[in-house]
mmCIF file of all heavy atoms in Angstrom:
data_model
loop_
_atom_site.group_PDB
_atom_site.id
_atom_site.type_symbol
_atom_site.label_atom_id
_atom_site.label_comp_id
_atom_site.label_asym_id
_atom_site.label_seq_id
_atom_site.Cartn_x
_atom_site.Cartn_y
_atom_site.Cartn_z
ATOM 1 N N HIS R 1 22.816 4.874 -19.274
ATOM 2 C CA HIS R 1 21.421 4.685 -18.885
ATOM 3 C C HIS R 1 21.213 5.238 -17.473
ATOM 4 O O HIS R 1 21.962 4.904 -16.546
ATOM 5 C CB HIS R 1 21.050 3.198 -18.919
ATOM 6 C CG HIS R 1 21.425 2.522 -20.203
ATOM 7 N ND1 HIS R 1 20.567 2.428 -21.279
ATOM 8 C CD2 HIS R 1 22.589 1.925 -20.601
ATOM 9 C CE1 HIS R 1 21.176 1.792 -22.268
ATOM 10 N NE2 HIS R 1 22.397 1.474 -21.882
ATOM 11 N N HIS R 2 20.192 6.060 -17.321
ATOM 12 C CA HIS R 2 19.878 6.659 -16.026
ATOM 13 C C HIS R 2 18.613 6.011 -15.485
ATOM 14 O O HIS R 2 17.541 6.116 -16.092
ATOM 15 C CB HIS R 2 19.692 8.182 -16.182
ATOM 16 C CG HIS R 2 19.297 8.863 -14.919
ATOM 17 N ND1 HIS R 2 18.657 10.089 -14.900
ATOM 18 C CD2 HIS R 2 19.441 8.495 -13.610
ATOM 19 C CE1 HIS R 2 18.431 10.439 -13.655
ATOM 20 N NE2 HIS R 2 18.891 9.500 -12.854
ATOM 21 N N LEU R 3 18.735 5.338 -14.348
ATOM 22 C CA LEU R 3 17.593 4.664 -13.730
ATOM 23 C C LEU R 3 17.200 5.406 -12.460
ATOM 24 O O LEU R 3 18.061 5.818 -11.680
ATOM 25 C CB LEU R 3 17.925 3.209 -13.387
ATOM 26 C CG LEU R 3 17.974 2.212 -14.549
ATOM 27 C CD1 LEU R 3 19.234 2.384 -15.377
ATOM 28 C CD2 LEU R 3 17.892 0.787 -14.022
ATOM 29 N N ARG R 4 15.919 5.548 -12.275
ATOM 30 C CA ARG R 4 15.408 6.207 -11.067
ATOM 31 C C ARG R 4 14.710 5.175 -10.193
ATOM 32 O O ARG R 4 13.915 4.374 -10.675
ATOM 33 C CB ARG R 4 14.436 7.328 -11.429
ATOM 34 C CG ARG R 4 15.097 8.476 -12.185
ATOM 35 C CD ARG R 4 14.067 9.433 -12.730
ATOM 36 N NE ARG R 4 14.678 10.548 -13.434
ATOM 37 C CZ ARG R 4 15.104 10.496 -14.693
ATOM 38 N NH1 ARG R 4 14.983 9.366 -15.375
ATOM 39 N NH2 ARG R 4 15.650 11.551 -15.251
ATOM 40 N N LEU R 5 15.029 5.222 -8.902
ATOM 41 C CA LEU R 5 14.437 4.282 -7.964
ATOM 42 C C LEU R 5 13.939 5.024 -6.737
ATOM 43 O O LEU R 5 14.500 6.056 -6.352
ATOM 44 C CB LEU R 5 15.468 3.232 -7.523
ATOM 45 C CG LEU R 5 15.890 2.200 -8.567
ATOM 46 C CD1 LEU R 5 16.983 1.323 -7.992
ATOM 47 C CD2 LEU R 5 14.719 1.341 -9.000
ATOM 48 N N GLU R 6 12.891 4.472 -6.120
ATOM 49 C CA GLU R 6 12.406 5.037 -4.869
ATOM 50 C C GLU R 6 13.448 4.770 -3.789
ATOM 51 O O GLU R 6 13.916 3.648 -3.625
ATOM 52 C CB GLU R 6 11.078 4.379 -4.488
ATOM 53 C CG GLU R 6 10.361 5.084 -3.369
ATOM 54 C CD GLU R 6 8.947 4.553 -3.202
ATOM 55 O OE1 GLU R 6 8.555 3.670 -3.987
ATOM 56 O OE2 GLU R 6 8.250 5.015 -2.299
ATOM 57 N N MET R 7 13.863 5.802 -3.056
ATOM 58 C CA MET R 7 14.999 5.681 -2.149
ATOM 59 C C MET R 7 14.615 5.398 -0.702
ATOM 60 O O MET R 7 15.410 4.882 0.061
ATOM 61 C CB MET R 7 15.847 6.966 -2.205
ATOM 62 C CG MET R 7 16.446 7.231 -3.577
ATOM 63 S SD MET R 7 17.397 5.832 -4.213
ATOM 64 C CE MET R 7 18.747 5.806 -3.046
ATOM 65 N N ALA R 8 13.418 5.773 -0.264
ATOM 66 C CA ALA R 8 13.046 5.593 1.142
ATOM 67 C C ALA R 8 12.102 4.408 1.292
ATOM 68 O O ALA R 8 11.308 4.130 0.399
ATOM 69 C CB ALA R 8 12.389 6.860 1.670
ATOM 70 N N PRO R 9 12.184 3.666 2.419
ATOM 71 C CA PRO R 9 11.217 2.596 2.646
ATOM 72 C C PRO R 9 9.794 3.140 2.606
ATOM 73 O O PRO R 9 9.505 4.179 3.190
ATOM 74 C CB PRO R 9 11.586 2.108 4.054
ATOM 75 C CG PRO R 9 13.002 2.515 4.250
ATOM 76 C CD PRO R 9 13.158 3.799 3.498
ATOM 77 N N SER R 10 8.918 2.457 1.913
ATOM 78 C CA SER R 10 7.535 2.904 1.800
ATOM 79 C C SER R 10 6.658 1.690 1.525
ATOM 80 O O SER R 10 7.144 0.578 1.347
ATOM 81 C CB SER R 10 7.397 3.935 0.675
ATOM 82 O OG SER R 10 7.638 3.313 -0.570
ATOM 83 N N VAL R 11 5.373 1.950 1.514
ATOM 84 C CA VAL R 11 4.439 0.856 1.272
ATOM 85 C C VAL R 11 4.712 0.188 -0.063
ATOM 86 O O VAL R 11 4.670 -1.042 -0.194
ATOM 87 C CB VAL R 11 2.992 1.384 1.329
ATOM 88 C CG1 VAL R 11 2.006 0.282 0.975
ATOM 89 C CG2 VAL R 11 2.686 1.951 2.710
ATOM 90 N N SER R 12 5.031 0.980 -1.077
ATOM 91 C CA SER R 12 5.272 0.406 -2.404
ATOM 92 C C SER R 12 6.546 -0.431 -2.452
ATOM 93 O O SER R 12 6.735 -1.236 -3.358
ATOM 94 C CB SER R 12 5.342 1.521 -3.451
ATOM 95 O OG SER R 12 6.401 2.400 -3.174
ATOM 96 N N CYS R 13 7.454 -0.231 -1.461
ATOM 97 C CA CYS R 13 8.696 -1.014 -1.404
ATOM 98 C C CYS R 13 8.494 -2.370 -0.730
ATOM 99 O O CYS R 13 9.395 -3.213 -0.760
ATOM 100 C CB CYS R 13 9.775 -0.244 -0.635
ATOM 101 S SG CYS R 13 10.389 1.227 -1.457
ATOM 102 N N TRP R 14 7.341 -2.570 -0.101
ATOM 103 C CA TRP R 14 7.144 -3.766 0.708
ATOM 104 C C TRP R 14 7.233 -5.043 -0.128
ATOM 105 O O TRP R 14 7.824 -6.037 0.316
ATOM 106 C CB TRP R 14 5.810 -3.675 1.444
ATOM 107 C CG TRP R 14 5.447 -4.894 2.245
ATOM 108 C CD1 TRP R 14 4.299 -5.614 2.172
ATOM 109 C CD2 TRP R 14 6.248 -5.535 3.249
ATOM 110 N NE1 TRP R 14 4.312 -6.656 3.066
ATOM 111 C CE2 TRP R 14 5.507 -6.643 3.739
ATOM 112 C CE3 TRP R 14 7.519 -5.305 3.766
ATOM 113 C CZ2 TRP R 14 5.997 -7.489 4.720
ATOM 114 C CZ3 TRP R 14 8.006 -6.155 4.758
ATOM 115 C CH2 TRP R 14 7.256 -7.229 5.221
ATOM 116 N N ASN R 15 6.667 -5.036 -1.321
ATOM 117 C CA ASN R 15 6.739 -6.232 -2.163
ATOM 118 C C ASN R 15 8.172 -6.560 -2.556
ATOM 119 O O ASN R 15 8.568 -7.726 -2.616
ATOM 120 C CB ASN R 15 5.866 -6.058 -3.408
ATOM 121 C CG ASN R 15 4.382 -6.120 -3.085
ATOM 122 O OD1 ASN R 15 3.981 -6.743 -2.098
ATOM 123 N ND2 ASN R 15 3.568 -5.460 -3.893
ATOM 124 N N TRP R 16 8.967 -5.506 -2.835
ATOM 125 C CA TRP R 16 10.376 -5.747 -3.149
ATOM 126 C C TRP R 16 11.105 -6.305 -1.925
ATOM 127 O O TRP R 16 11.985 -7.163 -2.038
ATOM 128 C CB TRP R 16 11.046 -4.460 -3.618
ATOM 129 C CG TRP R 16 10.768 -4.111 -5.049
ATOM 130 C CD1 TRP R 16 10.106 -3.020 -5.514
ATOM 131 C CD2 TRP R 16 11.142 -4.869 -6.206
ATOM 132 N NE1 TRP R 16 10.032 -3.046 -6.889
ATOM 133 C CE2 TRP R 16 10.669 -4.179 -7.345
ATOM 134 C CE3 TRP R 16 11.822 -6.067 -6.398
ATOM 135 C CZ2 TRP R 16 10.865 -4.632 -8.644
ATOM 136 C CZ3 TRP R 16 12.023 -6.533 -7.702
ATOM 137 C CH2 TRP R 16 11.541 -5.822 -8.800
ATOM 138 N N ALA R 17 10.763 -5.809 -0.741
ATOM 139 C CA ALA R 17 11.410 -6.302 0.478
ATOM 140 C C ALA R 17 11.116 -7.782 0.681
ATOM 141 O O ALA R 17 11.997 -8.560 1.053
ATOM 142 C CB ALA R 17 10.938 -5.482 1.688
ATOM 143 N N LYS R 18 9.873 -8.183 0.424
ATOM 144 C CA LYS R 18 9.534 -9.604 0.558
ATOM 145 C C LYS R 18 10.283 -10.447 -0.462
ATOM 146 O O LYS R 18 10.753 -11.546 -0.153
ATOM 147 C CB LYS R 18 8.017 -9.785 0.385
ATOM 148 C CG LYS R 18 7.199 -9.264 1.549
ATOM 149 C CD LYS R 18 5.745 -9.729 1.467
ATOM 150 C CE LYS R 18 5.032 -9.090 0.284
ATOM 151 N NZ LYS R 18 3.597 -9.484 0.244
ATOM 152 N N ALA R 19 10.413 -9.927 -1.669
ATOM 153 C CA ALA R 19 11.156 -10.658 -2.697
ATOM 154 C C ALA R 19 12.641 -10.748 -2.355
ATOM 155 O O ALA R 19 13.335 -11.676 -2.793
ATOM 156 C CB ALA R 19 10.972 -9.972 -4.055
ATOM 157 N N ALA R 20 13.128 -9.775 -1.563
ATOM 158 C CA ALA R 20 14.554 -9.751 -1.218
ATOM 159 C C ALA R 20 14.922 -10.825 -0.209
ATOM 160 O O ALA R 20 16.071 -11.276 -0.166
ATOM 161 C CB ALA R 20 14.926 -8.370 -0.667
ATOM 162 N N LEU R 21 13.980 -11.235 0.629
ATOM 163 C CA LEU R 21 14.283 -12.163 1.727
ATOM 164 C C LEU R 21 14.971 -13.449 1.262
ATOM 165 O O LEU R 21 16.034 -13.802 1.779
ATOM 166 C CB LEU R 21 13.012 -12.473 2.514
ATOM 167 C CG LEU R 21 13.168 -13.510 3.631
ATOM 168 C CD1 LEU R 21 14.139 -13.020 4.689
ATOM 169 C CD2 LEU R 21 11.815 -13.830 4.255
ATOM 170 N N PRO R 22 14.420 -14.197 0.296
ATOM 171 C CA PRO R 22 15.097 -15.446 -0.093
ATOM 172 C C PRO R 22 16.430 -15.218 -0.811
ATOM 173 O O PRO R 22 17.243 -16.134 -0.886
ATOM 174 C CB PRO R 22 14.078 -16.118 -1.031
ATOM 175 C CG PRO R 22 13.233 -15.008 -1.539
ATOM 176 C CD PRO R 22 13.146 -14.010 -0.426
ATOM 177 N N LEU R 23 16.655 -14.009 -1.328
ATOM 178 C CA LEU R 23 17.914 -13.751 -2.018
ATOM 179 C C LEU R 23 19.043 -13.446 -1.049
ATOM 180 O O LEU R 23 20.181 -13.870 -1.267
ATOM 181 C CB LEU R 23 17.755 -12.588 -3.008
ATOM 182 C CG LEU R 23 16.780 -12.809 -4.169
ATOM 183 C CD1 LEU R 23 16.783 -11.613 -5.103
ATOM 184 C CD2 LEU R 23 17.140 -14.073 -4.950
ATOM 185 N N CYS R 24 18.742 -12.694 0.009
ATOM 186 C CA CYS R 24 19.811 -12.316 0.942
ATOM 187 C C CYS R 24 19.733 -13.083 2.262
ATOM 188 O O CYS R 24 20.446 -12.754 3.209
ATOM 189 C CB CYS R 24 19.820 -10.814 1.186
ATOM 190 S SG CYS R 24 18.315 -10.170 1.930
ATOM 191 N N ASP R 25 18.893 -14.120 2.331
ATOM 192 C CA ASP R 25 18.821 -15.008 3.503
ATOM 193 C C ASP R 25 18.484 -14.273 4.797
ATOM 194 O O ASP R 25 18.785 -14.763 5.885
ATOM 195 C CB ASP R 25 20.141 -15.770 3.685
ATOM 196 C CG ASP R 25 20.378 -16.790 2.586
ATOM 197 O OD1 ASP R 25 19.393 -17.212 1.952
ATOM 198 O OD2 ASP R 25 21.539 -17.159 2.339
ATOM 199 N N GLY R 26 17.903 -13.079 4.688
ATOM 200 C CA GLY R 26 17.591 -12.316 5.884
ATOM 201 C C GLY R 26 18.799 -11.708 6.553
ATOM 202 O O GLY R 26 18.690 -11.130 7.634
ATOM 203 N N GLU R 27 19.983 -11.817 5.935
ATOM 204 C CA GLU R 27 21.216 -11.304 6.536
ATOM 205 C C GLU R 27 21.550 -9.896 6.043
ATOM 206 O O GLU R 27 22.702 -9.465 6.104
ATOM 207 C CB GLU R 27 22.383 -12.247 6.232
ATOM 208 C CG GLU R 27 22.246 -13.622 6.886
ATOM 209 C CD GLU R 27 23.415 -14.536 6.608
ATOM 210 O OE1 GLU R 27 24.383 -14.093 5.956
ATOM 211 O OE2 GLU R 27 23.386 -15.694 7.054
ATOM 212 N N TYR R 28 20.549 -9.193 5.551
ATOM 213 C CA TYR R 28 20.768 -7.830 5.064
ATOM 214 C C TYR R 28 19.459 -7.063 5.198
ATOM 215 O O TYR R 28 18.378 -7.657 5.210
ATOM 216 C CB TYR R 28 21.226 -7.859 3.592
ATOM 217 C CG TYR R 28 21.814 -6.555 3.113
ATOM 218 C CD1 TYR R 28 23.116 -6.203 3.450
ATOM 219 C CD2 TYR R 28 21.076 -5.671 2.337
ATOM 220 C CE1 TYR R 28 23.670 -5.000 3.019
ATOM 221 C CE2 TYR R 28 21.619 -4.468 1.899
ATOM 222 C CZ TYR R 28 22.915 -4.145 2.246
ATOM 223 O OH TYR R 28 23.459 -2.957 1.831
ATOM 224 N N ASP R 29 19.545 -5.754 5.314
ATOM 225 C CA ASP R 29 18.375 -4.888 5.400
ATOM 226 C C ASP R 29 17.470 -5.143 4.183
ATOM 227 O O ASP R 29 17.857 -4.886 3.041
ATOM 228 C CB ASP R 29 18.848 -3.430 5.427
ATOM 229 C CG ASP R 29 17.710 -2.435 5.553
ATOM 230 O OD1 ASP R 29 16.613 -2.694 5.013
ATOM 231 O OD2 ASP R 29 17.923 -1.379 6.170
ATOM 232 N N LEU R 30 16.268 -5.649 4.422
ATOM 233 C CA LEU R 30 15.397 -6.053 3.315
ATOM 234 C C LEU R 30 14.919 -4.874 2.479
ATOM 235 O O LEU R 30 14.765 -5.004 1.259
ATOM 236 C CB LEU R 30 14.193 -6.832 3.850
ATOM 237 C CG LEU R 30 14.487 -8.187 4.479
ATOM 238 C CD1 LEU R 30 13.193 -8.889 4.847
ATOM 239 C CD2 LEU R 30 15.313 -9.064 3.549
ATOM 240 N N PHE R 31 14.682 -3.734 3.104
ATOM 241 C CA PHE R 31 14.264 -2.572 2.318
ATOM 242 C C PHE R 31 15.420 -2.063 1.450
ATOM 243 O O PHE R 31 15.226 -1.691 0.304
ATOM 244 C CB PHE R 31 13.748 -1.461 3.232
ATOM 245 C CG PHE R 31 12.377 -1.731 3.767
ATOM 246 C CD1 PHE R 31 12.201 -2.138 5.078
ATOM 247 C CD2 PHE R 31 11.262 -1.609 2.956
ATOM 248 C CE1 PHE R 31 10.936 -2.407 5.574
ATOM 249 C CE2 PHE R 31 9.989 -1.868 3.434
ATOM 250 C CZ PHE R 31 9.828 -2.269 4.751
ATOM 251 N N GLU R 32 16.614 -2.066 2.020
ATOM 252 C CA GLU R 32 17.784 -1.626 1.257
ATOM 253 C C GLU R 32 18.031 -2.563 0.077
ATOM 254 O O GLU R 32 18.219 -2.133 -1.056
ATOM 255 C CB GLU R 32 19.010 -1.582 2.170
ATOM 256 C CG GLU R 32 20.315 -1.230 1.464
ATOM 257 C CD GLU R 32 20.334 0.184 0.926
ATOM 258 O OE1 GLU R 32 19.599 1.040 1.460
ATOM 259 O OE2 GLU R 32 21.073 0.429 -0.054
ATOM 260 N N TYR R 33 18.028 -3.882 0.334
ATOM 261 C CA TYR R 33 18.269 -4.795 -0.785
ATOM 262 C C TYR R 33 17.071 -4.864 -1.721
ATOM 263 O O TYR R 33 17.231 -5.137 -2.914
ATOM 264 C CB TYR R 33 18.633 -6.214 -0.317
ATOM 265 C CG TYR R 33 19.064 -7.014 -1.520
ATOM 266 C CD1 TYR R 33 20.282 -6.755 -2.136
ATOM 267 C CD2 TYR R 33 18.202 -7.930 -2.117
ATOM 268 C CE1 TYR R 33 20.642 -7.407 -3.297
ATOM 269 C CE2 TYR R 33 18.560 -8.590 -3.279
ATOM 270 C CZ TYR R 33 19.783 -8.318 -3.862
ATOM 271 O OH TYR R 33 20.145 -8.950 -5.033
ATOM 272 N N GLY R 34 15.881 -4.577 -1.228
ATOM 273 C CA GLY R 34 14.717 -4.529 -2.115
ATOM 274 C C GLY R 34 14.913 -3.510 -3.218
ATOM 275 O O GLY R 34 14.548 -3.743 -4.380
ATOM 276 N N ARG R 35 15.507 -2.352 -2.877
ATOM 277 C CA ARG R 35 15.790 -1.343 -3.910
ATOM 278 C C ARG R 35 16.843 -1.847 -4.891
ATOM 279 O O ARG R 35 16.737 -1.639 -6.095
ATOM 280 C CB ARG R 35 16.246 -0.041 -3.241
ATOM 281 C CG ARG R 35 15.153 0.654 -2.456
ATOM 282 C CD ARG R 35 15.550 2.073 -2.084
ATOM 283 N NE ARG R 35 16.656 2.113 -1.141
ATOM 284 C CZ ARG R 35 16.494 2.094 0.187
ATOM 285 N NH1 ARG R 35 15.290 1.998 0.696
ATOM 286 N NH2 ARG R 35 17.538 2.165 0.994
ATOM 287 N N ILE R 36 17.880 -2.511 -4.365
ATOM 288 C CA ILE R 36 18.916 -3.066 -5.237
ATOM 289 C C ILE R 36 18.313 -4.126 -6.151
ATOM 290 O O ILE R 36 18.630 -4.194 -7.351
ATOM 291 C CB ILE R 36 20.055 -3.667 -4.392
ATOM 292 C CG1 ILE R 36 20.720 -2.569 -3.549
ATOM 293 C CG2 ILE R 36 21.090 -4.358 -5.274
ATOM 294 C CD1 ILE R 36 21.736 -3.094 -2.546
ATOM 295 N N LEU R 37 17.437 -4.949 -5.598
ATOM 296 C CA LEU R 37 16.773 -5.993 -6.383
ATOM 297 C C LEU R 37 15.953 -5.378 -7.509
ATOM 298 O O LEU R 37 15.968 -5.863 -8.651
ATOM 299 C CB LEU R 37 15.885 -6.833 -5.466
ATOM 300 C CG LEU R 37 14.983 -7.872 -6.127
ATOM 301 C CD1 LEU R 37 15.801 -8.880 -6.901
ATOM 302 C CD2 LEU R 37 14.127 -8.578 -5.061
ATOM 303 N N GLY R 38 15.228 -4.291 -7.192
ATOM 304 C CA GLY R 38 14.456 -3.627 -8.230
ATOM 305 C C GLY R 38 15.344 -3.112 -9.352
ATOM 306 O O GLY R 38 15.020 -3.253 -10.539
ATOM 307 N N LEU R 39 16.484 -2.552 -8.994
ATOM 308 C CA LEU R 39 17.429 -2.048 -9.991
ATOM 309 C C LEU R 39 18.002 -3.185 -10.826
ATOM 310 O O LEU R 39 17.974 -3.144 -12.062
ATOM 311 C CB LEU R 39 18.557 -1.297 -9.272
ATOM 312 C CG LEU R 39 19.817 -1.003 -10.096
ATOM 313 C CD1 LEU R 39 19.505 -0.023 -11.211
ATOM 314 C CD2 LEU R 39 20.929 -0.486 -9.206
ATOM 315 N N GLN R 40 18.514 -4.222 -10.151
ATOM 316 C CA GLN R 40 19.150 -5.316 -10.890
ATOM 317 C C GLN R 40 18.145 -6.101 -11.722
ATOM 318 O O GLN R 40 18.481 -6.589 -12.811
ATOM 319 C CB GLN R 40 19.881 -6.236 -9.910
ATOM 320 C CG GLN R 40 21.074 -5.561 -9.241
ATOM 321 C CD GLN R 40 21.849 -6.495 -8.344
ATOM 322 O OE1 GLN R 40 21.340 -7.533 -7.898
ATOM 323 N NE2 GLN R 40 23.081 -6.133 -8.053
ATOM 324 N N GLY R 41 16.929 -6.210 -11.222
ATOM 325 C CA GLY R 41 15.901 -6.886 -12.005
ATOM 326 C C GLY R 41 15.628 -6.180 -13.315
ATOM 327 O O GLY R 41 15.462 -6.821 -14.360
ATOM 328 N N ARG R 42 15.595 -4.859 -13.285
ATOM 329 C CA ARG R 42 15.364 -4.088 -14.514
ATOM 330 C C ARG R 42 16.554 -4.202 -15.460
ATOM 331 O O ARG R 42 16.393 -4.359 -16.673
ATOM 332 C CB ARG R 42 15.097 -2.630 -14.166
ATOM 333 C CG ARG R 42 13.742 -2.406 -13.508
ATOM 334 C CD ARG R 42 13.648 -1.062 -12.828
ATOM 335 N NE ARG R 42 13.809 0.049 -13.768
ATOM 336 C CZ ARG R 42 13.866 1.325 -13.394
ATOM 337 N NH1 ARG R 42 13.781 1.635 -12.098
ATOM 338 N NH2 ARG R 42 13.996 2.280 -14.293
ATOM 339 N N LEU R 43 17.767 -4.148 -14.909
ATOM 340 C CA LEU R 43 18.956 -4.252 -15.759
ATOM 341 C C LEU R 43 19.076 -5.642 -16.379
ATOM 342 O O LEU R 43 19.470 -5.785 -17.550
ATOM 343 C CB LEU R 43 20.212 -3.937 -14.942
ATOM 344 C CG LEU R 43 20.391 -2.480 -14.519
ATOM 345 C CD1 LEU R 43 21.536 -2.360 -13.518
ATOM 346 C CD2 LEU R 43 20.673 -1.585 -15.737
ATOM 347 N N ALA R 44 18.743 -6.678 -15.597
ATOM 348 C CA ALA R 44 18.882 -8.051 -16.095
ATOM 349 C C ALA R 44 17.928 -8.361 -17.236
ATOM 350 O O ALA R 44 18.129 -9.338 -17.970
ATOM 351 C CB ALA R 44 18.660 -9.039 -14.943
ATOM 352 N N GLU R 45 16.886 -7.551 -17.403
ATOM 353 C CA GLU R 45 15.977 -7.755 -18.531
ATOM 354 C C GLU R 45 16.635 -7.397 -19.864
ATOM 355 O O GLU R 45 16.243 -7.900 -20.915
ATOM 356 C CB GLU R 45 14.716 -6.901 -18.341
ATOM 357 C CG GLU R 45 13.847 -7.340 -17.166
ATOM 358 C CD GLU R 45 12.693 -6.381 -16.940
ATOM 359 O OE1 GLU R 45 12.613 -5.365 -17.670
ATOM 360 O OE2 GLU R 45 11.863 -6.645 -16.035
ATOM 361 N N THR R 46 17.648 -6.519 -19.822
ATOM 362 C CA THR R 46 18.289 -6.034 -21.048
ATOM 363 C C THR R 46 19.718 -6.541 -21.203
ATOM 364 O O THR R 46 20.164 -6.820 -22.313
ATOM 365 C CB THR R 46 18.305 -4.493 -21.057
ATOM 366 O OG1 THR R 46 16.965 -4.018 -20.907
ATOM 367 C CG2 THR R 46 18.899 -3.948 -22.340
ATOM 368 N N PHE R 47 20.437 -6.669 -20.070
ATOM 369 C CA PHE R 47 21.863 -7.000 -20.121
ATOM 370 C C PHE R 47 22.097 -8.391 -19.537
ATOM 371 O O PHE R 47 21.255 -8.921 -18.802
ATOM 372 C CB PHE R 47 22.661 -5.952 -19.353
ATOM 373 C CG PHE R 47 22.442 -4.549 -19.856
ATOM 374 C CD1 PHE R 47 21.560 -3.697 -19.211
ATOM 375 C CD2 PHE R 47 23.106 -4.086 -20.986
ATOM 376 C CE1 PHE R 47 21.343 -2.410 -19.670
ATOM 377 C CE2 PHE R 47 22.901 -2.809 -21.463
ATOM 378 C CZ PHE R 47 22.022 -1.964 -20.805
#
């Protein structure tokens, strides 16, 4: 399975960054983990 994700911080990433905060306790780059969250959220729907 090939998944495509937006790679650079942008306005559309802001909601993912906010969702990332309670997951990583603020101890990680929120934009970086926001992308990971978007990826894992999509995978967790199927696997």
Side-chain angles (χ1 to χ4, degrees):
H1 310 269
H2 177 202
L3 285 75
R4 295 170 179 82
L5 289 176
E6 192 170 358
M7 298 306 294
S10 67
V11 176
S12 61
C13 292
W14 176 234
N15 288 334
W16 280 116
K18 288 192 292 183
L21 176 62
L23 296 183
C24 62
D25 291 338
E27 294 181 3
Y28 195 78
D29 182 326
L30 293 185
F31 284 104
E32 176 66 25
Y33 189 72
R35 292 193 293 271
I36 298 172
L37 173 60
L39 165 66
Q40 293 184 340
R42 289 164 61 185
L43 290 170
E45 293 174 358
T46 304
F47 303 99

